[in-house]
Every structure is written in C-alpha cells, then in structure tokens.
Amino acid sequence: MLKNHLSRMTLLFVVCMTALAGCVTKPPADAPSLRRPENLSGQNMAGAEKLADDYMAGFIAGVKAKDFALFEQAMPDEAKGKVTAEMFDTMCSELRENLGTLTAAEYLGELDQTLVRDYLWKLTFEKTLENPEKQPDVLRREVVYMVRIGKIDGTFHIAGSGFRF
C-alpha cells in the first residue's frame, strides 16, 4: 500500500517538475542559430551551485512549512505559473502522508553530466507510528532530491528537479 501511494506521489511530482523543466521557448524566425547547451566540464560552477542552493532552500522551506510562496520565490521566472499552489499543496500532503515530516536536508554533492550538472541532496522524513502494543515507533525514510542545472547563452538555468527514489 505504501508503494502504491509513493507511486502516485512520484507521478504527481514528476508532472509538477515536468512543468518546471518544460520551459522552452521557440526562437524568433530570424534567429541565426538554435540555442545549444554548453559543455560544463571544467567550467567554474559557482553560479550553478548558487542557483541550485537557492532553489533547494526555497523548496525545503516551502515543504517544511507547506507554504507555496516560499517555494515560488525560489522558482525560476520561466517556471512561475506552471506549478500552482494547489499542485504544491497536494505534493506536500502526499509527502506527509507517505513519508512523514521533512526533518533534515543534507547536501551530498554533484555529478558532472557534461551538458548538465546534477546537484544532490538527501532529504530525511520521519513519521511516528502509533502501535497499541508498543511505544510509538519512528519510521525514517531518506530520499535523494536532484536539481539539474544547464547553461545556455552564458546563463545557468534549472533544467529539471525531482526525487530520485
């Protein structure tokens, strides 16, 4: 049953994050060339790291407080309006129901994928289970959350994000 709930929650979140990542605009007809992502290997990634950190700070604060406004402040401008407060509230409710309360977040590191850089966090959720035969037990679940950053025309962009179960 927990697996079934996690599957629904994962699907809902993938839909939300696809809306976030699906921010592609058609270039003007007179554009000289297509916008191509840059090779990030060996580049200074300070701007990408800050973008990922700021996004995660807003995401974590929003999930902990179940406050869409905190998350929306951290969203890239091109994604605003594609993820609604209702979608975010549903995701937060599903997370709490299936995983528990977000109690900790820890930066794990980054993965160089040449055209994108994946920044990874470990999110810890805890849920108290009432058992009439025993004292309450705490169920702890740790999941990985990824923020993918790419660079186009010299500017870093969030190319996607989501849970990696």
Side-chain angles (χ1 to χ4, degrees):
M1 185 159 169
L2 177 62
K3 188 174 186 173
N4 200 11
H5 286 291
L6 287 176
S7 296
R8 285 188 323 165
M9 179 185 59
T10 301
L11 177 62
L12 173 66
F13 197 73
V14 166
V15 169
C16 292
M17 291 303 106
T18 300
L20 233 179
C23 306
V24 177
T25 57
K26 184 177 178 184
D30 60 349
S33 65
L34 295 175
R35 296 173 51 184
R36 298 190 189 277
E38 296 178 26
N39 181 340
L40 299 179
S41 298
Q43 285 198 28
N44 178 343
M45 298 302 293
E49 291 168 8
K50 180 168 178 12
L51 182 60
D53 284 343
D54 291 348
Y55 175 86
M56 276 307 289
F59 178 78
I60 291 165
V63 169
K64 281 186 171 183
K66 198 175 178 183
D67 184 348
F68 178 68
L70 293 173
F71 175 52
E72 189 176 39
Q73 290 172 3
M75 251 190 246
D77 288 339
E78 62 269 14
K80 290 184 178 171
K82 293 186 177 192
V83 177
T84 66
E86 182 179 317
M87 294 163 86
F88 184 77
D89 290 344
T90 300
M91 181 203 62
C92 287
S93 295
E94 291 282 333
L95 284 171
R96 284 199 171 112
E97 180 182 328
N98 295 306
L99 300 178
T101 302
L102 178 60
T103 59
E106 176 185 345
Y107 178 70
L108 296 175
E110 63 188 67
L111 301 173
D112 184 345
Q113 309 291 1
T114 305
L115 297 179
V116 295
R117 189 67 48 96
D118 293 340
Y119 294 91
L120 307 172
W121 279 261
K122 175 176 71 172
L123 302 181
T124 302
F125 293 84
E126 292 183 353
K127 186 177 193 176
T128 301
L129 302 174
E130 297 292 335
N131 187 335
E133 298 174 13
K134 299 180 183 178
Q135 294 295 325
D137 292 322
V138 175
L139 176 64
R140 179 174 292 124
R141 297 271 308 191
E142 295 180 333
V143 296
V144 174
Y145 192 91
M146 179 203 67
V147 178
R148 178 168 282 168
I149 305 289
K151 191 174 189 181
I152 296 177
D153 297 333
T155 304
F156 289 112
H157 298 276
I158 294 177
S161 64
F163 289 98
R164 300 297 182 242
F165 288 99

